Amino acid sequence: MIGLPILSVVGMEFLERGSWHETMHWISTNHPLFLLNVVLTFCLLALIYAIVGSLAISGSIATLILGLMAIISYMKVKMIGEPFFPWDILLNKESMDIATLVTGKAALIRIIAVAAVIILVLLLRWVIPRVTIPIIARIGLGLFSLYALYAFGIKSPLAGKILDHAGVNEIVWDQQQNYANNGLTLAFTLNVKNSIVQKPDTYNETAIASVATNIQATAAKAPEVKSAKLSAGKKPNVIFVMSEAFWDPTLLTNVTYSEDPLPTIHRLQKEAGNAGYLLSPQYGGGTSNVEFEVLTGNSMSFLPGGSIPYQQYISKPLPSLASYFANQGYKSMGIHSYEGWFWDRNTVYKELGFQSFKSSEKFVNPEIKGYFISDAEVARNVNSEVDKTEDPMFIYTVTMQNHGPYDDPRYGENTIKATGSGLSAQAKSILETYTQGAHDADASLQMMIDHFKDSDEPTMIIFYGDHLPMLGMDYQVYKEAGFISTSNANQWSLDEIKKMHSTPLVTWSNFDMPKQENPVTSASFLGAHVLDMLGMEKPANFTLDGELAQQIPGLLSNLVVDADGQLQAKAPESLAPLINDYRNVQYDLMFGKQFLANYIDHDYLTKGSQPDYNAEFGATGIAAKSEAQGSEDAKPASAQ
């Protein structure tokens, strides 16, 4: 019971770090932290033993749990730069669905190694003498172990003293570094308390009342925004298109292409005064977190690193762009070309105030390209929904076609070829497959522009990527192409952090719209920016977003971009009061007592979900889908 936890911690750190040298260096230079990891692992083993009663079986179960943790954390870090968190356990269907797309030699070797150790531990039943502990002692051991795990999970006062004495430094804002410093078992346990967002020290009704007064004063003294020029007073359709993993591969300076892969984006960047870059809180995954920032105006910077609001926090109505536009007489619809359960969108969209949500189950006979519904099919659905709806529409669109991985040439023969002296054959193949998909996304934007450019319905399209694509393990393509200096994200410069979190952002409209220069816009500030472009009055939380965006248009947990484009690791102290207001309002709306609604925008801030949510996709929609599926099955294979 002492030896197995020691070996387990060594094995877990080796599996997760991927280097024996790094593992031994961490152990040799962090004896107290290594010991804490062993203690926690011992408590897990003792708890299982207290329940099971067989040391060999308990050791096998503990090894399975810890081995899976290490493998998952290793793969997550390699794919998206984030380790394994307690709340990842909630991602049951999502994890299994994406796991089928992730294979590789490294993962297979680790799985075989863990399986071998489990078998070895089981075989020890015939070697180690059986020891029987009285039931009372087992219960006592189990209760002690459970309490110890609980105490470290919530960081009780006694556990806090132990952690301080051991020199534990919890780096919540940089979880990869947090796990690297403290060890997988300890960092994972400490993150349990982060599943619940702590109330800010400055949050109370008096503070929120002061924020409301400041918001009203800001709105009163703000210069009049030049409204969009619309004919006959028509309200414009507002279409957000968040394109999966969309990025500009021509930014790889050491790579050239056989043709321009993004002609539409590049044309709009030259023509429009409303083109720039979206600063995303994510890399390689976590689409719903970008969606959360754009729709609510809230920031991931104030939530635990690696958390997923859609899965963890949104269980009641939360004001968003969807509910705001619904209040303005719009039909608000979400469109996503993947299954509605993913990231709990079916339920979350209801809480965000959408009237309807058209997920892949509601698409009729969709075109598939690669693994998923094509971006062209999504464009056709957007065009169709606008055409058949009398009211002006707010549509939030999320595509899926170019979701990773890009290891297989899933589009067949790629028409766009990449050339780079530093690219390996594998990196070249990955890049060309990704670029082909990005080209299709660009073409889908042009399809929507062509559809609406001569329409008598005023329409605005906001098009951007949710995050940079994961182009190989350990940022392989970016490193080989010279886009970043190292595959160790902890060693990136501020400029590299900015580059690895910036996706193209363009807007287009078929009516005259005032031009605004916004080179960089955080996803959480995009909603306020769009409302300003449309000349629409901003609700309270988006007014606060707009005020902060004037000072720091780019805000991530580890990067701030000020109004002059200067980069800093954290916001200047002079902006602390405004940032505290932003944090307090976010807490008030998501977790607090909704004090803000007592002082301003009560109807918008307290609006419930739409009573007829998704009524249009009820029995009729299901029947239509079944009929379409029957027609699809009747097609010859070549047509499908």
Side-chain angles (χ1 to χ4, degrees), residues 527-555:
H529 176 56
V530 170
L531 293 179
D532 280 342
M533 291 168 65
L534 291 169
M536 300 178 72
E537 182 179 350
K538 298 191 294 292
N541 55 328
F542 285 97
T543 298
L544 184 59
D545 292 351
E547 183 181 6
L548 185 57
Q550 291 181 8
Q551 307 292 324
I552 44 173
L555 176 64

Side-chain angles (χ1 to χ4, degrees), residues 211-222 296-297 321 324 524-525 527-529 531-532 536-551 578 581-582 585 589 596 600-601 604-605:
V211 174
T213 300
N214 293 339
I215 289 174
Q216 290 170 328
T218 298
K221 70 181 181 182
T296 66
L321 288 175
Y324 169 77
S524 54
F525 300 148
H529 176 56
L531 293 179
D532 280 342
M536 300 178 72
E537 182 179 350
K538 298 191 294 292
N541 55 328
F542 285 97
T543 298
L544 184 59
D545 292 351
E547 183 181 6
L548 185 57
Q550 291 181 8
Q551 307 292 324
L578 189 57
D581 286 349
Y582 186 26
V585 166
L589 296 178
L596 188 63
I600 187 173
D601 285 344
Y604 159 72
L605 294 174

Side-chain angles (χ1 to χ4, degrees), residues 6-16 20 23 70:
I6 293 174
L7 295 176
S8 294
V9 171
V10 174
M12 289 175 69
E13 294 301 324
F14 175 61
L15 285 176
E16 204 228 2
W20 183 251
T23 300

Side-chain angles (χ1 to χ4, degrees), residues 506-573:
V506 296
T507 60
W508 174 90
S509 65
N510 58 4
F511 55 88
D512 291 335
M513 198 163 48
K515 305 302 181 185
Q516 296 184 17
E517 294 298 329
N518 277 70
V520 174
T521 302
S522 269
S524 54
F525 300 148
L526 180 59
H529 176 56
V530 170
L531 293 179
D532 280 342
M533 291 168 65
L534 291 169
M536 300 178 72
E537 182 179 350
K538 298 191 294 292
N541 55 328
F542 285 97
T543 298
L544 184 59
D545 292 351
E547 183 181 6
L548 185 57
Q550 291 181 8
Q551 307 292 324
I552 44 173
L555 176 64
L556 300 179
S557 60
N558 58 346
L559 175 69
V560 169
V561 183
D562 66 22
D564 296 324
Q566 299 300 310
L567 308 183
Q568 303 173 51
K570 61 180 182 179
E573 287 298 320

Side-chain angles (χ1 to χ4, degrees), residues 4-18 23 26 37 41 44 62-63 65-71 73-74 84 110 114 183-186 188:
L4 186 58
I6 293 174
L7 295 176
S8 294
V9 171
V10 174
M12 289 175 69
E13 294 301 324
F14 175 61
L15 285 176
E16 204 228 2
R17 296 171 189 269
T23 300
W26 174 76
N37 279 268
T41 304
L44 175 65
T63 301
I65 294 172
L66 298 171
L68 285 176
M69 284 177 58
I71 292 171
S73 193
Y74 170 81
F84 180 54
R110 282 163 170 76
V114 171
L184 175 57
T185 308
L186 178 58
F188 182 90

